[in-house]
Amino acid sequence: MGCRAPPSASVATMQADIPSVICVLILDSDGQRICCKYFTDDFPTLSEQQAFEKKVFDKSSRTNAKTEAEITVFDNLVTVYKNSSDAWFFVVSGQHENELILVNVLTALTEALTTTLRQLDKRTMLDNYESLLLTVDELIDGGMILETDASSIANRVGMKAATSEPAAAAAEPSSSFSFTFSSAKESFARSLLR
């Protein structure tokens, strides 16, 4: 009879072999959040998350990462980032992850968003926040990379948006996320004009 590892050891080994991401950050040109999604408890509080985001933005904002993704390592984390118009895109993972896989994830994110939204600027992403979140969710789930084919991600986001439109139209307009978000934007704009 052969010696077998306990089932828990094989599951842990398998999970260690699956590429994973700590967080996906999308920041504006001032380093403020557009969309941030954390998949681990490495930064459990909002203040720790914002401090990390500031550190990442300060380190990367001095570079010109418009055409190709840039890679940096600090605090034992690998950060792959790219700039587009007035938004910065970051994929952060542990030091053990393959940088080429992370670059592929970042490229899939930006290409899927470009396909879905037509342009990658802060205003468009905020106006289509639901599609932005769906894109990130189709790319990564619980920190594990699900898909890196941008066209597949964009197609799934498009299908989900199309199937949710009839339900949203049938629902009461005030319960819609888009309606609520639009109302908040209008109220904020009115308060600034006073």
Side-chain angles (χ1 to χ4, degrees):
M1 298 269 187
C3 179
R4 295 176 73 183
S8 60
S10 62
V11 171
T13 303
M14 186 177 81
Q15 288 178 340
D17 292 340
I18 298 173
S20 62
V21 172
I22 291 174
C23 64
V24 172
L25 311 173
I26 303 174
L27 306 175
D28 66 12
S29 57
D30 297 324
Q32 300 300 310
R33 285 182 172 196
I34 294 174
C35 176
C36 295
K37 194 150 189 185
Y38 288 83
F39 302 104
T40 66
D41 291 333
D42 291 340
F43 306 98
T45 65
L46 180 61
S47 59
E48 289 176 338
Q49 291 174 3
Q50 290 173 330
F52 175 71
E53 292 160 18
K54 180 178 179 1
K55 190 185 315 184
V56 167
F57 183 76
D58 289 345
K59 180 144 178 101
S60 62
S61 64
R62 295 183 291 267
T63 63
N64 186 13
K66 284 193 181 267
T67 56
E68 292 184 15
E70 296 284 332
I71 302 168
T72 186
V73 177
F74 66 94
D75 291 344
N76 294 324
L77 298 173
V78 176
T79 303
V80 180
Y81 60 95
K82 188 175 187 178
N83 180 352
S84 174
S85 182
D86 61 349
W88 287 82
F89 299 86
F90 301 89
V91 175
V92 180
S93 190
Q95 195 170 355
H96 62 279
E97 292 299 339
N98 185 326
E99 294 88 358
L100 295 176
I101 292 174
L102 299 178
V103 168
N104 200 10
V105 170
L106 180 66
T107 302
L109 174 65
T110 57
E111 288 178 1
L113 285 171
T114 300
T115 302
T116 304
L117 305 178
R118 306 286 185 248
Q119 62 185 32
L120 289 180
D121 61 32
K122 179 180 177 178
R123 173 107 178 138
T124 304
M125 286 188 279
L126 289 175
D127 287 345
N128 298 286
Y129 200 74
E130 185 175 352
S131 294
L132 173 63
L133 290 176
L134 281 172
T135 302
V136 173
D137 287 344
E138 288 296 325
L139 180 68
I140 300 167
D141 183 29
M144 288 190 280
I145 302 165
L146 297 177
E147 179 72 67
T148 57
D149 180 33
S151 61
S152 296
I153 294 167
N155 287 338
R156 282 200 294 265
V157 169
M159 286 189 295
K160 286 185 178 182
T163 58
S164 68
E165 283 176 12
E172 198 174 309
S174 62
S175 65
S176 165
F177 175 77
S178 298
F179 179 80
T180 306
F181 190 68
S182 295
S183 297
K185 283 193 312 187
E186 288 173 17
S187 297
F188 181 70
R190 273 190 244 120
S191 69
L192 289 176
L193 294 174
R194 290 183 190 166

